[in-house]
Amino acid sequence: MVVDLPDPAATLHWGATLAKILPAGAILLLQGDLGSGKTTLVQGLAQGLGITAPVTSPTFALIQEYPEGRIPLYHLDLYRLNTEEVRQLHPEYYWQEAAPGIVAIEWPERLPAWPANYLHLYWQSLAAGRRLTLTAQGTSAQEWLQQLPRRRGGEN
């Protein structure tokens, strides 16, 4: 699925749309250049989940947990780490042991191994805005993808 996001407001809206359909246990792998909209999408997820705490990039904190929404949101940013440092962080805790929530991982290419079931969101720059390509890995992720609106563009 491909979605064109002309501005940050459309990215926030798309994140809120995802929050409406994603169940606890969903994993999002967010890949794209710096400033492409990954954290903005997570902010939209948080809004859609009813999280009122400010959502910022966890680049230096590495992991932010937001337990107060409809379901918990776990936001990981692996930008500053290499694969071995990520391994020592044990990110799989968030999809294997933590209270089930939505796990959003920025810079997933640094993971030593990707989970078996996830939505991969890949950002590309356009002359005006960004293009978001969503692909699903695993049966549950295929179901989530099927529930998303089929229109191109930032609106539903």
Side-chain angles (χ1 to χ4, degrees):
M1 167 184 261
V2 175
V3 179
D4 290 338
L5 302 168
D7 54 37
T11 304
L12 282 169
H13 178 74
W14 192 251
T17 298
L18 280 170
K20 291 176 187 173
I21 64 110
L22 292 175
I27 301 169
L28 304 177
L29 303 183
L30 313 173
Q31 193 169 5
D33 293 336
L34 284 171
S36 61
K38 298 179 296 293
T39 299
T40 302
L41 184 118
V42 175
Q43 291 168 338
L45 276 171
Q47 288 175 6
L49 293 171
I51 295 168
T52 58
V55 174
T56 59
S57 177
T59 299
F60 293 99
L62 304 178
I63 300 170
Q64 296 285 2
E65 298 180 1
Y66 303 96
E68 70 273 10
R70 177 176 58 82
I71 56 178
L73 174 62
Y74 306 113
H75 185 195
L76 290 73
D77 187 329
L78 308 178
Y79 177 70
R80 301 184 71 227
L81 304 175
N82 63 41
T83 301
E84 183 54 37
E85 291 167 328
V86 172
R87 182 178 282 109
Q88 293 172 17
L89 190 63
H90 298 285
E92 67 279 359
Y93 167 82
Y94 288 96
W95 59 86
Q96 293 177 353
E97 299 175 38
I102 295 174
V103 181
I105 303 173
E106 297 189 36
W107 304 95
E109 58 272 27
R110 289 167 169 79
L111 287 169
W114 286 16
N117 196 52
Y118 59 86
L119 279 180
H120 182 242
L121 291 77
Y122 180 74
W123 276 261
Q124 295 172 283
S125 294
L126 301 175
R130 305 283 189 266
R131 175 160 290 155
L132 180 60
T133 303
L134 294 91
T135 56
Q137 174 65 43
T139 304
S140 295
Q142 291 287 342
E143 292 171 5
W144 308 330
L145 193 59
Q146 292 302 314
Q147 293 178 47
L148 289 170
R150 292 284 159 204
R151 289 186 50 189
R152 289 175 64 98
E155 296 186 26
N156 299 325

